[in-house]
Amino acid sequence: ETYEQSLLKLLEMYKVVMPTEVATPDICFNLLSMDGGISNTVQALMEKLENLKYRVWKRFVIRNYPNISVGEFGGQNEHIQWDSCLNVRLVIVTALGSSSGKLSTCLGQMYLDRHRLGLASVYAKYELFPIWNLSINHPIQIAYEAATADVGDGDVVEYDAFELVESGSNIHRPVNYNRDNDAFGLLKEMIDKVTSPDEYIRSYYTSPTKMGINTAGFCIIDSVECARASVAECQRRVEEFRKEKNEKAAIRAEDCYRRAKASLEQMLSE
């Protein structure tokens, strides 16, 4: 299945769960090249979507992101707006996969909303994995690494460098996504520069964990059974990457499978 087919299928799904009289999705093409221009393939897809009555927006690669200043969110990136922009209470930003620029889009919108509209928009991340209050070595976290083995992102699961959590008599760092750790400094700079002192986001967003919404860890009633499923998922990812002839990702997923299996065995022995 091509990216275009997956996108059109996703849009059809939205028509079922969110009728057009409630909301119609806008499409943002992200990570476009400023130098090489927009390819004929991408341009053709943009025109196809516009013919289907979707509004299309463009955002470009931001060099050195996330190691940039907040002002760099302006420039050539389009400011995504709605006719009733000031009345919109919630905007959901989603995409077909990882490394699609969702976080930079949200931060860019937050910056442009405030500078161009005087609209005090804020950002929160709703994501299932990694689960912040599970051990970094839990098979669930390792299965997430296996699922992202094709991204080439190194250690995607790591400790939150900005947060400490108290659990009984223990104090430990929660688990988070490496890119959220990397981008948090930029979010903090934006909060300090564009928000007022009395805004909730300024006092509460003190770490990547705090900017996320995830209660999945509290819903696990059988950790061992979840661990078994995670080991099986790692194995499935190995097979999937081999079918796709992505040997590099398959090797990463195979390492995840070994680690998840060892973690499960340790859980069973305790």
Side-chain angles (χ1 to χ4, degrees):
E1 186 173 77
T2 66
Y3 195 90
E4 178 178 338
Q5 290 168 336
S6 297
L7 173 60
L8 294 173
K9 187 185 293 184
L10 186 65
L11 292 171
E12 286 301 311
M13 183 193 76
Y14 285 152
K15 287 180 183 178
V16 176
V17 299
M18 191 178 293
T20 52
E21 60 267 22
V22 177
T24 300
D26 281 18
I27 315 297
C28 178
F29 282 77
N30 219 328
L31 305 173
L32 297 171
S33 171
M34 289 289 293
D35 303 323
I38 299 172
S39 71
N40 292 335
T41 304
V42 172
Q43 189 65 50
L45 180 54
M46 286 180 175
E47 291 172 4
K48 181 174 184 176
L49 291 166
E50 286 173 336
N51 290 334
L52 291 171
K53 307 304 180 187
Y54 291 105
R55 296 200 305 170
V56 172
W57 305 87
K58 295 184 286 292
R59 296 189 78 256
F60 297 86
V61 170
I62 303 174
R63 286 190 177 88
N64 302 318
Y65 173 86
N67 301 310
I68 62 171
S69 65
V70 295
E72 291 178 67
F73 279 121
Q76 298 297 313
N77 287 322
E78 294 184 341
H79 184 198
I80 304 168
Q81 296 184 51
W82 294 264
D83 295 335
S84 57
C85 194
L86 294 174
N87 296 319
V88 171
R89 305 293 294 176
L90 175 68
V91 177
I92 299 170
V93 178
T94 187
L96 291 172
S98 56
S99 303
S100 51
K102 297 182 292 293
L103 176 56
S104 70
T105 298
C106 292
L107 296 184
Q109 284 295 113
M110 184 176 157
Y111 174 80
L112 293 171
D113 283 349
R114 288 168 178 268
H115 274 266
R116 296 182 181 177
L117 298 177
L119 181 65
S121 61
V122 296
Y123 159 80
K125 184 173 186 178
Y126 187 85
E127 188 163 29
L128 182 56
F129 300 113
I131 297 176
W132 67 272
N133 57 341
L134 279 187
S135 160
I136 199 168
N137 296 315
H138 194 289
I140 288 177
Q141 315 283 39
I142 300 171
Y144 172 62
E145 286 188 56
T148 57
D150 57 334
V151 178
D153 214 16
D155 297 323
V156 296
V157 180
E158 59 187 30
Y159 290 110
D160 186 334
F162 302 87
E163 182 76 9
L164 288 171
V165 172
E166 189 173 334
S167 178
S169 60
N170 297 318
I171 295 177
H172 62 91
R173 291 198 181 278
V175 174
N176 218 296
Y177 179 41
N178 63 339
R179 292 193 180 182
D180 287 351
N181 275 337
D182 293 342
F184 182 71
L186 177 60
L187 174 62
K188 192 73 174 70
E189 181 195 348
M190 183 180 299
I191 290 170
D192 292 342
K193 287 185 175 179
V194 305
T195 66
S196 57
D198 59 338
E199 285 190 52
Y200 170 79
I201 190 173
R202 184 176 283 205
S203 60
Y204 187 75
Y205 279 27
T206 55
S207 72
T209 300
K210 288 288 182 65
M211 76 178 184
I213 300 169
N214 187 337
T215 58
F218 299 109
C219 303
I220 296 172
I221 58 173
D222 191 332
S223 188
V224 171
E225 200 56 41
C226 288
R228 286 195 178 102
S230 299
V231 172
E233 174 62 11
C234 290
Q235 192 170 29
R236 188 185 73 80
R237 292 287 178 173
V238 174
E239 295 166 0
E240 183 178 271
F241 291 135
R242 290 246 153 86
K243 282 181 186 175
E244 295 171 356
K245 301 191 186 313
N246 189 341
E247 190 58 26
K248 196 171 181 181
I251 291 170
R252 284 198 186 105
E254 208 161 36
D255 176 64
C256 291
Y257 170 69
R258 285 192 292 268
R259 287 163 47 217
K261 192 175 178 183
S263 179
L264 171 60
E265 288 169 357
Q266 184 178 346
M267 290 172 71
L268 294 171
S269 66
E270 291 175 351

